[in-house]
Amino acid sequence: MSEWIISVAGTQTGHNFAIVLALAAAVLHALVSAMQKGWHDPFTSRAAIDLFYGLGTAPLALFVVPWPEPYMWPIFAGAIAVHSGYKLFQAMAFSQTALTVVYPVIRGTGMLITVFAAGIVFGEKFSPIQWCGVILLLGGLLGLAAYNLAKEADDRSRLAFALLLSVTTGIFVAGYTTVDAYGIRATANPFTFLAWLFFLDGFFMPVLAFARWRRHRFGVRFMELARLGFIGAIVAVTSFGAIMLATRVSHVGEIAVLRETSTLFAALIGWFFLKEAVGSRRLVLIAMIAIGAILVETKI
């Protein structure tokens, strides 16, 4: 599998494969974010997910895939630092207000910075039509955030802090997207990078959550948390693995934009499965996201 992935990198086949991976990652990322926000407090939920995928990928990293080249360890250190910052600030943002308010801001900020970072680090360029798509998609994301913010009944002082945390989280999203794309291209075997990143990345949040629990001694439903961790780990590994493989075989900036259709899928899941009202304004904003994603894939 790794040989095939390397062989299609930079080809039309690889690009088509990357589009499928990015859209799949968008759906799964919306699911894992909802799981982190909705079942327990965000720190504990994320800790359970990370612990399961850290332990689950340990045998792969230690005994199955080739060990990383020596020059990969500083890259792993940087990736773990950025991932840890992302998880910390996202958990803080999720603790402040509704997912529908902070999530579009996080994803929109991360997408825009990643597009510029990909141009600097990987020399990628967007056509004028593609830039129109980026602007349209970003407008849809931030429009959803503004609409949901207007409807939110929480304390307004908390909302301002939540938005600041969301923008900070978005900066970390851009950081880990860029570092991960660099790392998965730097190693000979892309699955070496995936296995070792998930293994090393799986223990920061569990340690942090345990320290919070020792300090506050809040109640935890361990069996329910274990189910969340097991299911969430599968979803998270599939989602993040898909997006990293996509950046290995295609353009980082385009993949980052397509991934942010996760907000669109989250809205559609809420409407179709949870029978949540969408409304005409949300439909317009969702259409903006969809059209923006299509324009980004227009090679003109």
Side-chain angles (χ1 to χ4, degrees):
M1 183 65 176
S2 60
E3 291 82 2
W4 181 81
I5 289 172
I6 293 170
S7 70
V8 300
T11 67
Q12 186 60 44
T13 299
H15 182 68
N16 294 339
F17 180 56
I19 292 175
V20 174
L21 289 175
L23 294 177
V27 176
L28 294 172
H29 197 280
L31 289 174
V32 77
S33 296
M35 293 170 72
Q36 180 182 354
K37 169 67 176 174
W39 289 17
H40 296 267
D41 84 275
F43 289 92
T44 306
S45 297
R46 186 75 222 194
I49 293 169
D50 286 10
L51 182 62
F52 269 87
Y53 78 53
L55 294 175
T57 55
L60 296 175
L62 296 172
F63 305 113
V64 178
V65 300
W67 276 55
E69 300 86 347
Y71 62 80
M72 288 299 299
W73 296 113
I75 299 175
F76 279 123
I80 298 307
V82 178
H83 276 266
S84 297
Y86 155 70
K87 293 175 184 179
L88 175 62
F89 278 95
Q90 178 166 270
M92 292 170 63
F94 284 179
S95 299
Q96 293 298 313
T97 190
L99 178 69
T100 54
V101 174
V102 298
Y103 190 70
V105 177
I106 292 171
R107 307 319 304 181
T109 304
M111 177 200 70
L112 187 61
I113 297 175
T114 301
V115 168
F116 286 106
I120 296 171
V121 177
F122 303 108
E124 297 178 4
K125 296 180 180 180
F126 276 17
S127 70
I129 292 294
Q130 288 179 306
W131 274 114
C132 289
V134 170
I135 294 170
L136 196 61
L137 195 150
L138 181 64
L141 288 173
L142 298 183
L144 275 177
Y147 179 83
N148 293 325
L149 179 62
K151 299 292 184 180
E152 187 58 46
D154 283 354
D155 181 1
R156 292 288 154 175
S157 62
R158 291 179 60 199
L159 290 173
F161 184 51
L163 292 176
L164 176 61
L165 291 172
S166 301
V167 171
T168 305
T169 306
I171 295 171
F172 277 102
V173 168
Y176 80 65
T177 303
T178 306
V179 173
D180 290 351
Y182 182 84
I184 202 168
R185 296 176 181 201
T187 187
N189 189 320
F191 291 101
T192 292
F193 182 80
L194 292 176
W196 276 92
L197 179 64
F198 285 124
F199 170 46
L200 297 172
D201 187 44
F203 302 102
F204 169 74
M205 287 300 287
V207 171
L208 179 62
F210 181 71
R212 291 180 72 250
W213 178 82
R214 287 194 64 182
R215 186 165 59 250
H216 300 292
R217 295 289 179 176
F218 49 83
V220 177
R221 300 185 297 276
F222 285 102
M223 290 304 298
E224 184 177 317
L225 191 62
R227 287 194 295 269
L228 166 67
F230 178 74
I231 298 170
I234 295 173
V235 176
V237 167
T238 307
S239 172
F240 282 99
I243 204 67
M244 282 187 272
L245 286 175
T247 60
R248 176 65 175 81
V249 299
S250 190
H251 297 110
V252 178
E254 291 183 25
I255 296 305
V257 174
L258 288 179
R259 178 184 56 189
E260 305 323 331
T261 56
S262 59
T263 303
L264 180 155
F265 290 117
L268 293 178
I269 290 170
W271 169 67
F272 189 78
F273 291 103
L274 304 179
K275 308 304 180 184
E276 295 178 351
V278 176
S280 58
R281 294 180 183 177
R282 278 197 178 121
L283 283 175
V284 171
L285 294 168
I286 289 171
M288 287 174 62
I289 295 172
I291 295 170
I294 293 170
L295 290 177
V296 168
E297 287 305 309
T298 301
K299 305 298 184 182
I300 298 177

